[in-house]
Amino acid sequence: MSVQTHALPPTGLGERDPRPPRRVGFSQRLGRWDVKLSPYLYISPFFLLFAVTGLFPLLYTAWVSVHDWSLIGGQGDMVGLENYTAVLQQEEFWLSLRNTFAIFLISSVPQVVMAIFLAALLAQNIRAKTFWRMGVLLPYVVAPVAVGMIFGQLFADQYGLINAILNAVGLPSVGWHSSTFAAWSAIATMVNFRWTGYNTLIFLAAMQAVPSELYEAAVLDGAGRVRQFFSVTVPQIRSTIIFVIITSTIGGLQIFDEPRVFDVKGVGGPTHQWETTTLYLYNVGWGPQMNLGRASAVAWMLFLVIVAIGLLNFLITRRISSTADQRAQTRKERRAYKDAVRRLRMPLAAREADPGSVAATITADRATSGTSAEDESPRRTS
Amino acid sequence: MQSSTRPTRRSRKAFAATAGIAALALTLTACGSSDDGDDAADGGDSDAPVTLTIATFNDFGYTQDLLDAYTEEHPNVTIKHTIAATSDDAKANFTTKLAAGGAGLADIQAVDIDWMPIVQQYEDLFTDLSDPSLDGRWLDWKTTQGSSNDGSKLLGYGTDIGPEAICYRQDLFEAAGLPSDPDGVAELLGGADATWDKYFEVGKDFVSKSDGVAWFDSAEGVYQAMVGQIEEPYENASDGTAKDLASNTDIKDLFTTVATMSKDEGLAAPNQQWSDDWNKAFQNDGFATMACPAWMTGSIETNSGGVDGWNIANVFPGGGGNWGGSFLVVPASGAHTQAAKDFAAWLTAPEQQTAAFNNSGNFPSQVEAEASEEVTSATNDFFNDAPVGKIYTDRAAAVTVTPFKGPNYFSINSAVTNALVAYDVQGKGSIESNWDDAVKAYEALGIG
């Protein structure tokens, strides 16, 4: 950089001519453009690609959603928001939202928790590390449809493996396809089978970046494994946890493959027990109705739902991360801390008179144990 | 250091950017360049080199040898055959490409009878295949299925059909003390005058004597067979509009009958057709009979490996019935529609379909092929040497009704069968409440 900002060297020592007006050379101007413009150019391929493959379909879907639009027949009349009102009046749409949230909750929550614990285990000094680490990722490599076929054998109502095992130990069969909750659990199992290992590796990577000094310090303080995990590991990988929660929320609200392959018809069950919103979208657009207009309306509403949930998620997790220090303390400690701050703001005389003030406490402590005031600063547990 | 690393870093970034843009450009152009650049003109010069693509699914019996026979006669033609694994895959591919204006469709597309309504609805996107020289090649009802709704155009050349007989388990019949030879079973079910009432009656008798074996495979299978014998099940043939399901007494009666027989009388194995449980029921003596179109014999054989009691009775309740079968259509967007039409006509000629029958077991829809020695003398050793050729020829001749299937046939049909499955397989509610659900699902379609 320094090379570019210097002007031409003086032509001779003896000359005292006034300096010629600074001429901004083309190469210099190019250099400035380079600095200002090129970062944007460098990242532009992504945005160009995004505009073509992300933004354009998004907007085009909005355009389709306000028309009568058949999959094959194409564009029809402009109908305004009719597609939206039609979809909102369908019981099936609300059922699909219920299913989506139910499956999302019983898949994502255990999944993230399990992934953290698995990662914590894998982060330990174990034999054949790479083997185990690759092992947890294996289900992720299996195609979802293959997963569906395997689990189809496990979760068959009449002659399925799981029911056979349940019967063998004297338990009644579970109607994996007839009971709504059982169907959700079965699908959530498939989802977890696929994604837990993936999230585990992300957590594992984050855990390996935690400085070992923190653990050494914790060990010196006498913290056990469990205490280390909750007081060092979890707070240190907080940003990764937020990342995983947000990505699995987005993914969880778009579950499609698993419910689609859960039975042979692939439409979400005869009474829509496990029809998720994406599956509903597919059925409306590509099923016998072939109504792309309504399907686009569903897509947009799902998009808005995901944005809303994403924002909610973001707000909650941001709150957690900003108040984390206080949160880590017990409520009692927090109150004591606030009290102390309030007293410190009091005039000195009043403070001396107040028996509960920090100064008074310190004085009293010093008198009893002989330690210095610095050691008595409120201890943080995180 | 900075000045020495800068240029390389920049060039690497520039390279990345170029690569990104190039990849983008490639992706974009790839969408548009699906034509192979065959520039032979249509029709005019019949000796110009032509590449024809044909897309089928499952197994049509079109082996390379069969296709080679055509290219030997027509040296200027090259044939590319793509095969989708299932009818559903092929349908998804077909509708998606049709939606994209026909880009990427094969010159000849195999179309299942189940999605023929799409072709009829958008008949302008397909070539009219009418050809007076082919009159009388197919069974009349097959030609009707392949024609436009007003009957003025022939949109598809018939390949195979699915005439239905009753497949049954000889050994289970014997164990229940019923006649078990094919003729005896045909007689038991009423012979030429077989009715569904009789079929259910014998079923009750069988179930009372058998040890927990159901009479038929699934409620859907029987419903499918029975609805296939109604002229206008869900829609009016005159204008293609949907009949109001709530007041459609034919269908309501049918639904009630099948639901009662399947669940209340316990005649159906409690499985959804094609589910894993259904597949496994073949191995577990789950049921004794099933409505059995010609192509079903293959599925039964696959599912029942090791079970050797199957046989076929030359009888079908309620007259003849047809389930399935396919057509070859020529999308109008193709570059060589005339050459494609010629090739499709050749492929669906009796000789070729007889060869296809030998290759895959798909029963030909051509009158002449059905009469041929090769077909009539065919037997199936898995079904204890049942004379399948003769049986299915008789069954095809017995078909008198071609149900009208308009654009909404499958939406309405799945509304009803879903309710049937909810009642029979999943044990939800009552017959009445499930029928109400079917009506509700119909109303949600917004087509009434």
Side-chain angles (χ1 to χ4, degrees):
Chain A
M1 294 307 281
S2 56
V3 180
Q4 287 172 350
T5 46
H6 277 302
L8 296 165
T11 43
L13 286 171
E15 284 171 358
R16 296 249 168 230
D17 289 347
R19 267 190 150 180
R22 259 180 81 157
R23 199 163 48 91
V24 179
F26 180 66
S27 65
Q28 196 175 348
R29 203 178 302 153
L30 208 61
R32 203 178 306 142
W33 287 348
D34 183 22
V35 170
K36 286 192 173 165
L37 231 102
S38 42
Y40 299 101
L41 279 178
Y42 294 149
I43 55 170
S44 66
F46 167 77
F47 286 98
L48 285 176
L49 261 179
F50 173 74
V52 172
T53 61
L55 195 63
F56 171 71
L58 203 68
L59 298 176
Y60 193 65
T61 305
W63 173 247
V64 173
S65 74
V66 293
H67 288 83
D68 256 340
W69 201 298
S70 155
L71 176 64
I72 297 172
Q75 188 172 0
D77 299 333
M78 177 95 131
V79 293
L81 295 177
E82 205 177 272
N83 283 324
Y84 289 85
T85 52
V87 168
L88 287 174
Q89 282 165 8
Q90 306 261 322
E91 197 188 342
E92 202 177 334
F93 173 70
W94 297 104
L95 277 177
S96 80
L97 272 187
R98 177 201 69 174
N99 294 341
T100 305
F101 277 101
I103 294 175
F104 158 64
L105 281 180
I106 57 181
S107 66
S108 291
V109 176
Q111 187 191 114
V112 172
V113 172
M114 227 151 66
I116 292 183
F117 281 99
L118 271 179
L121 289 180
L122 288 177
Q124 305 301 322
N125 209 1
I126 47 174
R127 279 170 200 276
K129 262 185 213 163
T130 316
F131 173 77
W132 297 113
R133 287 174 188 178
M134 285 314 294
V136 296
L137 196 62
L138 208 58
Y140 179 71
V141 189
V142 183
V145 177
V147 174
M149 290 184 76
I150 296 166
F151 280 81
Q153 302 278 324
L154 296 180
F155 289 116
D157 287 21
Q158 292 261 317
Y159 307 110
L161 186 63
I162 294 185
N163 276 346
I165 294 172
L166 286 178
N167 292 340
V169 296
L171 292 169
S173 295
V174 176
W176 294 112
H177 290 77
S178 52
S179 151
T180 307
F181 185 76
W184 292 343
S185 321
I187 290 170
T189 310
M190 284 189 240
V191 175
N192 290 348
F193 173 77
R194 184 162 153 72
W195 289 102
T196 308
Y198 175 80
N199 287 335
T200 303
L201 282 203
I202 295 181
F203 283 133
L204 181 62
M207 283 177 190
Q208 287 176 334
V210 178
S212 57
E213 293 84 357
L214 291 177
Y215 290 105
E216 287 161 16
V219 170
L220 283 181
D221 280 351
R225 290 266 187 216
V226 177
R227 185 61 190 266
Q228 282 177 40
F229 174 74
F230 283 106
S231 300
V232 179
T233 312
V234 173
Q236 284 293 315
I237 63 166
R238 189 178 297 124
S239 57
T240 307
I241 295 178
I242 293 172
F243 169 78
V244 168
I245 287 177
I246 289 181
T247 51
S248 48
T249 306
I250 295 172
L253 293 176
Q254 297 180 345
I255 293 171
F256 178 82
D257 301 15
E258 288 84 0
R260 174 124 169 99
V261 297
F262 190 54
D263 81 344
V264 60
K265 290 266 172 72
V267 295
T271 48
H272 320 295
Q273 301 102 307
W274 60 88
E275 183 181 32
T276 56
T277 309
T278 45
L279 194 52
Y280 173 61
L281 186 162
Y282 180 81
N283 290 342
V284 171
W286 286 265
Q289 291 188 58
M290 297 197 279
N291 191 337
L292 271 193
R294 276 193 196 176
S296 306
V298 176
W300 257 87
M301 283 189 279
L302 180 64
F303 174 66
L304 294 180
V305 167
I306 292 178
V307 168
I309 303 281
L311 278 178
L312 198 73
N313 241 335
F314 177 70
L315 289 178
I316 292 173
T317 44
R318 201 180 55 164
R319 228 182 100 77
I320 290 171
S321 54
S322 64
T323 59
D325 287 347
Q326 275 125 304
R327 205 176 57 98
Q329 298 166 337
T330 65
R331 191 173 288 179
K332 200 174 153 196
E333 279 173 319
R334 200 158 56 210
R335 205 184 306 132
Y337 178 75
K338 273 184 191 160
D339 256 12
V341 171
R342 186 175 54 80
R343 291 205 178 93
L344 275 174
R345 292 203 185 113
M346 283 194 258
L348 193 64
R351 210 189 298 163
E352 289 290 350
D354 188 344
S357 78
V358 175
T361 320
I362 291 170
T363 327
D365 276 357
R366 203 181 285 157
T368 52
S369 66
T371 50
S372 68
E374 283 87 342
D375 291 341
E376 288 305 315
S377 56
R379 186 166 173 181
R380 287 188 176 173
T381 47
S382 64
Chain B
M1 279 319 281
Q2 196 177 29
S3 58
S4 72
T5 54
R6 241 184 92 101
T8 44
R9 203 190 300 156
R10 183 197 287 164
S11 65
R12 206 184 304 146
K13 275 183 187 169
F15 171 74
T18 326
I21 291 165
L24 175 68
L26 278 175
T27 337
L28 290 177
T29 48
C31 297
S33 63
S34 52
D35 290 344
D36 289 330
D38 294 322
D39 44 11
D42 220 11
D45 182 5
S46 61
D47 290 332
V50 167
T51 300
L52 290 178
T53 50
I54 172 166
T56 65
F57 46 87
N58 292 342
D59 183 5
F60 270 61
Y62 297 156
T63 56
Q64 196 57 46
D65 285 348
L66 186 63
L67 301 179
D68 285 347
Y70 188 76
T71 46
E72 270 163 34
E73 282 175 41
H74 303 81
N76 61 320
V77 177
T78 315
I79 295 167
K80 284 186 190 160
H81 185 196
T82 50
I83 306 173
T86 68
S87 166
D88 279 347
D89 291 347
K91 182 188 177 185
N93 182 48
F94 179 71
T95 47
T96 310
K97 289 181 173 163
L98 212 52
L105 280 175
D107 293 308
I108 298 170
Q109 286 275 347
V111 172
D112 192 300
I113 176 71
D114 282 2
W115 17 302
M116 206 54 195
I118 299 173
V119 175
Q120 281 150 347
Q121 194 179 356
Y122 299 100
E123 53 180 83
D124 292 343
L125 301 179
F126 299 91
T127 310
D128 181 5
L129 301 177
S130 306
D131 183 347
S133 69
L134 301 180
D135 281 350
R137 177 185 273 189
W138 294 276
L139 294 164
D140 286 345
W141 54 267
K142 184 71 175 176
T143 309
T144 312
Q145 286 178 340
S147 302
S148 59
N149 285 336
D150 61 5
S152 64
K153 290 186 201 170
L154 185 64
L155 298 170
Y157 286 153
T159 57
D160 60 317
I161 50 173
E164 291 177 283
I166 294 289
C167 291
Y168 71 100
R169 286 281 298 276
Q170 218 167 357
D171 49 342
L172 297 177
F173 270 56
E174 242 166 66
L178 297 177
S180 64
D181 63 298
D183 291 339
V185 172
E187 197 61 35
L188 180 70
L189 296 176
D193 305 316
T195 60
W196 287 104
D197 286 344
K198 180 80 180 161
Y199 177 72
F200 293 136
E201 205 179 291
V202 177
K204 286 177 204 167
D205 186 36
F206 172 84
V207 170
S208 69
K209 292 173 182 168
S210 76
D211 184 21
V213 181
W215 176 237
F216 51 86
D217 67 307
S218 65
E220 285 167 290
V222 164
Y223 180 82
Q224 166 83 37
M226 292 176 80
V227 86
Q229 294 172 336
I230 299 177
E231 293 256 6
E232 300 176 15
Y234 305 118
E235 296 149 296
N236 300 304
S238 52
D239 55 0
T241 53
K243 294 179 180 176
D244 180 29
L245 190 62
S247 57
N248 191 338
T249 48
D250 284 352
I251 297 298
K252 188 176 180 188
D253 290 348
L254 192 56
F255 177 84
T256 313
T257 308
V258 176
T260 313
M261 291 303 158
S262 302
K263 175 96 176 169
D264 303 358
E265 301 287 347
L267 297 189
N271 300 317
Q272 189 171 5
Q273 208 160 32
W274 310 111
S275 66
D276 285 317
D277 281 335
W278 183 81
N279 290 339
K280 283 177 189 148
F282 284 89
Q283 296 282 343
N284 293 299
D285 295 349
F287 54 88
T289 68
M290 67 185 292
C292 182
W295 48 265
M296 185 68 91
T297 56
S299 304
I300 295 178
E301 190 173 342
T302 315
N303 283 332
S304 325
V307 177
D308 48 11
W310 281 100
N311 210 322
I312 309 173
N314 191 348
V315 65
F316 200 69
N322 178 69
W323 179 7
S326 299
F327 297 87
L328 297 183
V329 305
V330 176
S333 57
H336 316 287
T337 50
Q338 185 56 43
K341 185 179 165 184
D342 294 343
F343 177 49
W346 179 85
L347 256 185
T348 54
E351 304 79 45
Q352 277 65 251
Q353 282 303 133
T354 306
F357 170 72
N358 286 331
N359 294 334
S360 70
N362 284 352
F363 198 74
S365 59
Q366 291 74 5
V367 180
E368 212 176 291
E370 283 167 23
S372 72
E373 176 64 22
E374 249 179 298
V375 172
T376 49
S377 65
T379 57
N380 187 324
D381 48 353
F382 178 78
F383 287 84
N384 290 299
D385 292 323
V388 284
K390 177 172 184 340
I391 292 176
Y392 284 113
T393 305
D394 287 354
R395 291 295 99 216
V399 175
T400 49
V401 175
T402 308
F404 173 75
K405 295 181 180 179
N408 293 309
Y409 178 88
F410 285 95
S411 311
I412 306 174
N413 193 54
S414 56
V416 180
T417 49
N418 277 346
L420 202 56
V421 171
Y423 180 68
D424 176 50
V425 181
Q426 310 196 329
K428 295 217 157 74
S430 64
I431 295 179
E432 205 52 44
S433 75
N434 280 297
W435 171 255
D436 290 344
D437 282 348
V439 172
K440 223 189 285 174
Y442 163 79
E443 280 161 0
L445 295 173
I447 49 177

